[in-house]
Every structure is written in C-alpha cells, then in structure tokens.
Amino acid sequence: MRIEPRTRSSRALTFGVPVLSALIALALAAVPLAFAGANVFTAYGEMARGVFGSMFAVSEMLTRATPLIFTGLAAALAFRAKLWNIGAEGQLYLGAMAAVAVGAGWIDAPGLVLIPLIILAGCAAGAAGMALPAMLKTRFGADEVVTTLLLNFVILIFLQMMLEGPLQDPMGLGWPQSSPILDQGMLPPLMERMRLHSGLIIALVCAVVAQFMLARSVWGFRLRAVGENAAAARHAGIRVNRSLMSVALVSGALAGMAGVSEVAGLKGYLTSDLSPGFGYTGIVVAMLAGLNPLGVVVSAIFIASVFVGADSMSRAMGVSSYLADLVVAMSLLCVLIGGFFARFRITRVRPGQESAA
Amino acid sequence: MDILQILVSESFWAASLRIATPLIFGVLGALLCEKSGVLNLGIEGIFVAGAMAGWMAVWLGLGLWGGVIVAASAGAFFGLIHAILTVPLGLSQHVSGLGVTLFATSVSYFTYRTALPNVSSPPRIEPFRALDIPILSDLPILGPVLFQQTALTWLAFLCVGLVWYVMNRTALGVALKAVGDNPSSVDAQGLSVYALRMGAVIAGSALMALGGAFLTMSAFDAFFFGMVNGRGWICIALVIFASWRPGKALLGALLFGAFDALQVRLQTEVGALVPGQVFLMAPYILSIIALVIAARSADYPRALLTPWFKGQR
C-alpha cells in the first residue's frame, strides 16, 4: 500500500467530505445513545424537532450559532496562516469585559454612538489578547499554542477578579456579575419575542468580508502564502512576522466580537459562565469548514443544531447532555480523517514495485 | 519571617510533592511523545479519561491496582487514536490533539453521567493510603515528607528513572530520539518510523492517564467535572521548560508543586493585601515566562510537528 497526494482535488470532494464526515459522526453517536439505553430513532426524531420543529427552535439554534460563527472565523483565519490561536475562549471574555466596561453606564450616549463604541472596545480587547502571544511567538519563538492556552486560564481568573471588583454590579447583592448594559447599547433583536439578535447579521457580514479578504486581497494572499510555506514566503519578500501579527489581531478581534455579541446581544450582563466553551468549539467549526470563512457559517449552524438538538433530546429522553459534546468531538475526528482522504489516495502496490518509489 | 516558617514545615513539602505527582506523570508522557516527534495536545483529555476510568474501575470493584491498569489502558486507547491520525495519516498534530482532548473529555463525562444519572454528590472510593515504612518514616523531616505519600507518587519517581534509563542507556532510546530528530536516518537503518512513533505516543499517553488517575485515586477520592482544570496544559509548558530531559522534567514538576503549595499558604497570610486571584494566576503566568526563557535555548526534537511518509523526502 502506498499513500500519494491527489493531483487535483475535485470540488465534490472539498464540499462532500465535511458533509459526509458530519453525517458519519451523527451515525456513530448512535452507539453511546444505545449505550445510554435510548431508542435511537426516537432520539434523533426529538433532536430534529428541537432544532427545526418551530420558529422558536430555529431562532434558538441561530442564536447559538452566532458566537460560533465569530469564534469559527477567528480560528479559520489564524489557522490559514498556521498561527494556532487556541485562545479564542479567553479573547471572547476580554471582548465581553470591554463591552461591559464601556456599555454598562460609563458612557451615556444614544445607541447610534454607544453600540459602535461597545463593538470597537470589545474587538480591541480581543485583539490585544492575541497580540501578546503573537508577539512572544515572533520575538522569542515561544509556541503560541501553549501561550494562548495558558492565557485562557489567566483571563478567566482575571474575569473573576473583575466581577468581584471594578466590574461588579453594585445593585447585584454581592453576586459576581456585572451591571447590565444600557438599553440603548443592546444589539437590536431580529424578531418579536425571540432571543435572536442582530449579532447574527454582523457575524454574516464578517464571514463575507473575511471570505473576500482571504480570496481576493493582497493581505489574504500574503496570509495564505505564509501558511503554506513560511520560508518560501520570506524568500519572496513577504514580511512574515508582520503578516502573522496582522492576522493575530484580526483573529483576536473576531473572538472578542463573539463576547460582545453574547453580552450585548443576548445576556445583557456579564457572568463568568457567559461561554460554554465557544472558543474551543470554534476550532471544530473552523476545521469542519475546511478553514473556509463562508463554510464557517454552515458548520456553525450544524454544530449549533447538534447542541440545541441534543439539549432537547436529552430532556425528552433522559440522556446525558454531554452527548452533544461527544458528537462535536467525533465530527472533528471524522472530518480530520475525511480531509486526509480528500487530499490523498491510497493505492495498492504489488510487492516488486515498492522499491520504485 | 512567615515564608521561612512555611519553607521548613513538613506539611508544605509533603503538599508540594503531592501537587507535583500528576504533573510528573504528565510531563514524562508528553516528553516521550515529543521525543519521537509527535506533540500530544490530547493530554488534557487523557488526564480526564485516566481520572474517570481509574475511579470507575475502583468503584466497580476492580481494586486500586486494577484501577491503575484500567486508567493506563484508557490513556493508551486515546493515544492510539492520536497516533493513527498523526503518524501514518500525518494530520496536523495540533488539531488532532485538540480533537482527542475534546473526545476523551466528552466520552468520560458522558460515561460518568450515564452510569450515575441522578447523583448530586459524587460517590467516594477508598483511595491509596500513605505508605508507612517503619524505620524510614521516623526520620526527621524527610520521613514525614516522603512517607506521607502514596504508592502512586513512588511510581511516578520510578517512571522518571525508567524513562531516563530507556532514553539514555538502551538501543530503543537511541532509536526513539533519532526518530524525533531525523526520521529518514532511522528508516535507512531498517527500523520502522511508524512503529517507533506510534509506540511512543501510546506509551506516553498511558503515562499521562496515570497523572489523571492520581487525582481520583490518591489526591481526592471521587471524580468531579472539571477536576483536571488545565493540569495537562501546564505539563506541555513544563516539557519545554525541561528542554526534553526527564531529570529536568522532575525538577520542573517539583518546583511547580512547591510554588503552588506556597501560594495557597501565602494566600492565607497576606490575603487581605492582594486579591486571591493574583495567586491563582501566578502559576500560569510563570509557565508562560518559563516558556519564553526556555524557547531561546530549547534543544527541541528537530522533527517535532513534521509528519514523515515512507518513500518521500
């Protein structure tokens, strides 16, 4: 047997592989479902009903997908340049803290001024959170995987410090939560009596812009060149460190925006459980999308469906809701293997031929 | 001075050793994987799997050493997944490792919740007890510090010696280091790069799982959600700090344990002056600083992160 790269990757493969991988992951989830003693078909029926059964269900699913689009884009862009930003979770909280700091009464301005200020502050904070690891990488060669991961813990502890200190709601009876964002600072809702908010629109715009920048701009070209072969890019006169720094800032800003969207679009105030791991799930979203910004939207919707669907299924069937995490993890592993078969073919080699390689 | 009082107290050193034990297992495991050229970010999830599997085996009545074996097997299983994805398939070691962490964590949590659907307080098991060796335990200071530890701490020390011996005194160790530096040279000698790398990842992952097992079977006597809490990631930083040497890995883990034990004690002393969170942050910030300092002189395995395919240059 021999592994050789496919000379050209067909369109069907690029799009088919992630879809197939996601379906295989869902099918594999039948094993733990049966293990938990549930009827597999009823369970999947409940799951589908929980996602598509009503307007409310769809709106809940899209609400869940919104932060995942932001964190998915944050991972996808950085990973394209082979900058492994694993710190989106921390950057999300930095964005949320900045949003609350600006929006919860510090500035009393009309919404047209306040909302952009909140967004700007959140993005800047997220970008700052990624700037440090990127600088440590370009200056000192410190591996960004480890630094961004460790910073997640530092930021979470810092968040608790802020929520018990400067950011604490004086009217909150001592709970570690922030004051609420002013009414005019909240991102407007998209539908009556639903939680879906205009953060989704911002996320979609970001995805389209990211796609355009990546595919058509000089910035995107440099970024892809650095990701494919940093040495060759340097040889071709691309300032690799500058490229890495710029994508780091954009990636951090997008992750920060996820925090802004959750706190100013949905919750209204900040607590330390704002994100159930959106930063980490964003990595799965990005991989499932093949690091393609528009694909991120589709895969964020898929992952959000799994979470929302599994939630309602676990309520209906009495199965642990950790099943959703399990499906998401299996999707990632399946798409990794699928991606391999999209890029390589395995050919049989007769014994005598082996040495010819 | 308060710090001096802390530094000469037996309980402080005993606690340092206790905190260091899971890290020793984790750093050794990560070191073994990385020496062969494979970064294993599955470590955080493998810790959870080891903690869960070991606890559950004891709870089901397999005995403490049965639990240790089950935990190591669970680690080896998740190591096998990472090994298949990264060695013959040559996929991104970063992403595969994170995938293994997500998978191992969710499998463990799901299994725990499925086995115990409606339990509010986690069921306890009878954990490893401190080894009490008659004459040695009566030694001043050293006695109580060393002999307040359980068998797993001793196993961790034993593993440091074992890994050092294998790496520096055996043909296998030479091959292992070569496969992480220059896999083609190993292939040219007729050895299998795939087998060596996969073996190292599986063995390393089994060691990591013992770190998790220590948490449920020695440090605490139950399994909790979120109990691993970043210990795996700390190990990844410690490997770089140790510049891939088992002896320095032991030193790094002990230093870290001592620092962690110190911060708990300092927190009660000067808690009024500084918010407690500053002390909680310190280990992570110190890890980052150590990383930056070590990165300059790091003697890292040359082929780390680089997949190798037979028949390709």
Side-chain angles (χ1 to χ4, degrees):
Chain A
M1 266 194 351
R2 209 174 75 205
I3 296 165
E4 53 185 37
R6 288 183 194 273
T7 40
R8 58 197 191 91
S9 208
S10 72
R11 209 154 248 266
L13 268 172
T14 342
F15 290 106
V17 162
V19 174
L20 199 66
S21 311
L23 289 178
I24 291 174
L26 273 180
L28 283 177
V31 178
L33 259 180
F35 175 70
N39 180 315
V40 174
F41 293 101
T42 332
Y44 278 131
E46 283 296 336
M47 199 166 162
R49 218 157 55 115
V51 185
F52 303 111
S54 66
M55 207 51 215
F56 176 74
V58 174
S59 132
E60 280 298 293
M61 185 269 284
L62 290 175
T63 308
R64 191 71 179 253
T66 304
L68 290 177
I69 297 176
F70 286 119
T71 55
L73 288 174
L77 286 180
F79 285 16
R80 269 293 179 93
K82 293 235 163 64
L83 180 77
W84 303 102
N85 176 11
I86 318 294
E89 186 78 2
Q91 291 142 27
L92 180 154
Y93 278 114
L94 286 177
M97 276 188 270
V100 169
V102 171
W106 182 54
I107 299 171
D108 195 2
L112 267 175
V113 179
L114 190 57
I115 292 178
L117 274 181
I118 289 175
I119 290 176
L120 215 64
C123 290
M130 189 55 205
L132 177 72
M135 200 196 77
L136 293 180
K137 178 194 172 74
T138 51
R139 281 272 180 83
F140 304 105
D143 186 26
E144 75 279 15
V145 174
V146 190
T147 51
T148 50
L149 260 172
L150 292 174
L151 275 177
N152 283 343
F153 290 91
V154 177
I155 293 166
L156 260 173
I157 298 166
F158 179 68
L159 170 74
Q160 281 154 16
M161 207 163 113
M162 288 296 112
L163 289 180
E164 288 171 13
L167 287 181
Q168 190 173 34
D169 184 3
M171 316 291 280
L173 305 169
W175 288 102
Q177 67 180 44
S178 77
S179 308
I181 290 196
L182 299 176
D183 280 343
Q184 72 268 28
M186 293 292 287
L187 303 175
L190 284 185
M191 281 187 288
E192 295 255 332
R193 281 174 288 117
M194 304 276 176
R195 300 201 305 161
L196 191 61
H197 55 88
S198 41
L200 178 67
I201 307 292
I202 303 175
L204 294 177
V205 170
C206 284
V208 173
V209 171
Q211 175 76 29
F212 178 81
M213 290 296 282
L214 196 60
R216 296 286 158 82
S217 74
V218 180
W219 180 78
F221 168 77
R222 288 196 184 125
L223 187 157
R224 282 182 287 139
V226 169
E228 269 150 37
N229 189 337
R234 186 171 287 122
H235 190 71
I238 292 173
R239 275 178 288 191
V240 173
N241 281 350
R242 181 183 276 213
S243 255
L244 284 176
M245 199 44 132
S246 70
V247 75
L249 293 178
V250 172
S251 172
L254 282 163
M257 192 53 220
V260 172
S261 142
E262 281 302 278
V263 81
L266 191 62
K267 300 284 169 65
Y269 56 90
L270 179 57
T271 53
S272 59
D273 60 356
L274 181 75
S275 156
F278 287 133
Y280 301 105
T281 314
I283 295 164
V284 185
V285 169
M287 291 311 293
L288 205 59
L291 306 186
N292 174 306
L294 289 182
V296 161
V297 175
V298 180
S299 71
I301 286 175
F302 168 73
I303 301 277
S305 307
V306 169
F307 275 115
V308 172
D311 262 357
S312 69
M313 176 186 77
S314 79
R315 275 194 303 274
M317 315 277 298
V319 175
S320 154
S321 59
Y322 285 107
L323 184 76
D325 296 291
L326 196 52
V327 176
V328 169
M330 288 194 297
S331 305
L332 177 59
L333 295 178
C334 288
V335 83
L336 275 177
I337 299 171
F340 172 80
F341 285 109
R343 278 184 295 119
F344 295 95
R345 66 169 91 236
I346 292 180
T347 47
R348 244 171 228 294
V349 182
R350 267 172 286 162
Q353 260 179 311
E354 187 103 33
S355 56
Chain B
M1 182 60 193
D2 297 326
I3 294 188
L4 274 179
Q5 261 176 19
I6 293 172
L7 286 181
V8 295
S9 76
E10 288 158 0
S11 75
F12 163 72
W13 290 105
S16 304
L17 216 53
R18 209 159 40 236
I19 298 166
T21 303
L23 301 179
I24 298 173
F25 282 120
V27 181
L28 277 183
L31 187 145
L32 213 53
C33 298
E34 291 182 29
K35 265 289 172 191
S36 81
V38 182
L39 174 71
N40 189 352
L41 294 183
I43 184 165
E44 182 81 5
I46 291 171
F47 257 72
V48 178
M52 205 324 268
W55 172 86
M56 187 160 271
V58 177
W59 184 61
L60 292 174
L62 289 178
L64 284 169
W65 289 105
V68 169
I69 292 168
V70 169
S73 314
F77 169 73
F78 290 108
L80 175 69
I81 295 179
H82 185 59
I84 291 173
L85 291 175
T86 54
V87 180
L89 298 189
L91 297 168
S92 157
Q93 296 178 4
H94 288 125
V95 183
S96 165
L98 290 169
V100 168
T101 281
L102 283 180
F103 185 55
T105 308
S106 51
V107 167
S108 307
Y109 285 0
F110 182 79
T111 312
Y112 180 78
R113 258 290 163 256
T114 305
L116 302 153
N118 300 311
V119 180
S120 49
S121 70
R124 315 216 154 253
I125 55 170
E126 186 62 30
F128 277 105
R129 289 271 161 244
L131 286 183
D132 195 22
I133 301 173
I135 300 160
L136 290 175
S137 325
D138 298 333
L139 288 170
I141 301 177
L142 204 61
V145 172
L146 285 180
F147 296 96
Q148 267 179 29
Q149 308 300 334
T150 66
L152 284 183
T153 299
W154 292 98
L155 184 65
F157 281 112
L158 192 72
C159 286
V160 175
L162 197 70
V163 169
W164 180 88
Y165 180 81
V166 169
M167 265 177 35
N168 295 306
R169 291 287 182 273
T170 65
L172 179 67
V174 173
L176 190 72
K177 285 194 279 189
V179 91
D181 273 329
N182 187 350
S184 295
S185 76
V186 174
D187 182 59
Q189 287 172 5
L191 294 169
S192 167
V193 174
Y194 295 145
L196 277 165
R197 283 191 164 177
M198 291 184 70
V201 173
I202 293 167
S205 303
L207 270 179
M208 294 170 181
L210 293 184
F214 175 86
L215 295 179
T216 45
M217 297 168 64
S218 192
F220 311 103
D221 45 10
F223 178 79
F224 311 98
F225 293 105
M227 75 187 302
V228 173
N229 194 21
R231 283 184 177 85
W233 308 132
I234 297 271
C235 292
I236 297 286
L238 279 175
V239 178
I240 303 171
F241 169 80
S243 56
W244 293 271
R245 289 160 204 265
K248 277 179 127 182
L250 176 65
L251 184 74
L254 289 175
L255 269 178
F256 197 93
F259 181 80
D260 211 26
L262 186 67
Q263 63 94 358
V264 174
R265 284 159 178 76
L266 277 182
Q267 215 173 327
T268 53
E269 299 276 340
V270 292
L273 299 173
V274 192
Q277 283 96 350
V278 171
F279 292 100
L280 293 177
M281 269 183 206
Y284 299 105
I285 294 175
L286 276 182
S287 293
I288 293 173
I289 293 171
L291 200 75
V292 171
I293 295 168
R296 308 180 119 181
S297 58
D299 182 21
Y300 62 93
R302 296 274 173 264
L304 187 63
L305 297 178
T306 320
W308 182 90
F309 298 109
K310 197 171 173 64
Q312 282 177 13
R313 297 266 144 174

